[in-house]
């Protein structure tokens, strides 16, 4: 599918995000206009504090906007309540976090099936097992997180992010806690599986080598998208 026949899966119009504390209000995003095509790879880059993760989590519905509009496949999601946003995430978004975010009391296969358990959907062990096999963990199905290396835990997290066959895959610094070898292997997996599932990948990274493997690089500075000169 070429870009001319693709549709926009996510659209942001003048999106602002302000985070309040007891001391002050910090304006993290200051008017983001962004359109993301379906089945595309987008990387978000910028210095620490630029708003990269906030932008990604806003698209995921985990960060509420202060002003502006967000559309998913043309439908507004900026006005949704928290339970409606949770439903939007469960059906449409897979998230891979830097810190893995596996539940320590659950085995690999149980962690992978967790999104379906939360949503009340039918748990399909066959699909979970196939996903774990696809990330090279067919012999780790019943291992707990503490029995897995960092690279293996991130592979479980990747499998979990895909259990609902999401249209949007968000990876927030997915290699941040991994060594160079594991980082390269994890990124190869993410790119392969994103292609296999025809998901739209939104990748937060500080690594320009990784970012260049995406179709488009979005650069943030102080809460704003900046254009290359």
């Amino acid at each position: 599918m070429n870009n001319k026949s693709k549709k926009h899966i996510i659209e942001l119009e003048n999106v602002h995000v302000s985070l309040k504390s007891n001391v002050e209000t910090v304006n993290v995003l200051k008017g983001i206009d962004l359109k993301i095509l379906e089945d595309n790879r987008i990387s978000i880059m910028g210095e620490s504090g630029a708003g990269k993760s906030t932008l990604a989590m806003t698209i995921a519905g985990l960060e509420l906007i202060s002003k502006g509009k967000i559309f998913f496949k043309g439908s507004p999601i900026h006005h949704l309540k928290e339970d409606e946003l949770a439903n939007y995430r469960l059906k449409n978004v897979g998230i891979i976090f830097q810190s893995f975010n596996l539940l320590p009391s659950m085995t690999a296969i149980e962690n992978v099936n967790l999104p379906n358990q939360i949503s009340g959907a039918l748990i399909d062990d066959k699909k979970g097992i196939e996903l774990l096999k696809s990330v090279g963990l067919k012999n780790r199905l019943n291992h707990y997180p503490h029995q897995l290396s960092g690279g293996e835990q991130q592979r479980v997290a990747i499998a979990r992010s895909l259990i609902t066959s999401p249209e949007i895959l968000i990876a927030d610094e997915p290699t941040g806690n991994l060594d160079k070898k594991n980082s390269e292997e994890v990124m190869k997996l993410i790119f392969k599986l994103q292609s296999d599932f025809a998901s739209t990948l939104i990748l937060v990274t500080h690594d320009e080598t990784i970012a260049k493997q995406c179709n488009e690089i979005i650069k943030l500075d102080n809460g704003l998208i900046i254009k290359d000169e």
Side-chain angles (χ1 to χ4, degrees):
M1 187 189 297
N2 60 45
N3 283 353
K4 289 185 179 179
S5 60
K6 288 182 179 181
K7 296 179 181 179
H8 290 113
I9 190 167
I10 287 287
E11 297 176 77
L12 282 71
E13 296 179 3
N14 192 31
V15 166
H16 293 248
V17 174
S18 299
L19 302 180
K20 297 180 181 179
S21 70
N22 293 330
V23 180
E24 62 180 345
T25 297
V26 179
N27 299 317
V28 183
L29 299 182
K30 303 174 182 178
I32 299 293
D33 292 302
L34 179 63
K35 294 183 178 182
I36 299 175
L37 292 170
E38 61 188 356
D39 189 19
N40 221 14
R41 293 178 182 174
I42 304 294
S43 67
I44 302 175
M45 298 193 73
E47 298 295 328
S48 179
K52 303 186 299 297
S53 292
T54 300
L55 176 56
M57 293 305 115
T58 298
I59 293 169
L62 281 169
E63 201 71 73
L64 298 179
I65 69 173
S66 313
K67 178 184 174 183
K69 298 177 181 179
I70 304 179
F71 299 89
F72 170 70
K73 297 173 74 172
S75 297
I77 63 170
H78 46 272
H79 67 287
L80 297 182
K81 297 175 182 177
E82 285 194 25
D83 58 338
E84 294 171 322
L85 282 171
N87 191 48
Y88 154 73
R89 278 193 302 277
L90 283 168
K91 289 183 176 179
N92 306 296
V93 184
I95 307 176
I96 306 166
F97 296 96
Q98 177 178 338
S99 55
F100 319 139
N101 283 17
L102 302 180
L103 292 185
S105 61
M106 288 187 165
T107 62
I109 187 64
E110 289 171 339
N111 267 289
V112 169
N113 284 326
L114 187 59
N116 284 336
Q117 182 179 331
I118 292 171
S119 68
L122 182 67
I123 293 177
D124 183 0
D125 267 345
K126 184 178 179 181
K127 184 174 181 181
I129 291 168
E130 285 304 313
L131 278 168
L132 283 170
K133 285 181 178 177
S134 73
V135 298
L137 294 178
K138 66 179 180 180
N139 297 320
R140 296 284 193 272
L141 302 181
N142 297 308
H143 285 62
Y144 291 91
H146 74 271
Q147 297 172 309
L148 303 172
S149 68
E152 288 172 332
Q153 289 185 61
Q154 192 60 299
R155 288 165 185 258
V156 173
I158 293 168
R160 178 185 60 192
S161 74
L162 294 166
I163 191 67
T164 60
S165 301
E167 293 191 61
I168 299 172
L169 183 61
I170 294 176
D172 188 4
E173 296 279 9
T175 63
N177 286 334
L178 304 177
D179 59 33
K180 188 174 185 294
K181 181 174 181 294
N182 274 305
S183 294
E184 290 173 351
E185 291 177 355
V186 161
M187 284 315 308
K188 283 180 183 177
L189 266 176
I190 289 174
F191 285 137
K192 180 184 183 302
L193 292 169
Q194 176 265 333
S195 178
D196 290 347
F197 279 75
S199 298
T200 296
L201 175 64
I202 299 169
L203 171 67
V204 176
T205 182
H206 63 275
D207 190 325
E208 197 163 344
T209 302
I210 293 174
K212 285 180 177 177
Q213 296 178 63
C214 294
N215 305 109
E216 185 178 354
I217 299 175
I218 305 297
K219 292 185 177 180
L220 287 185
D221 182 40
N222 196 27
L224 292 166
I225 294 176
I226 57 173
K227 304 293 183 182
D228 287 329
E229 298 296 332

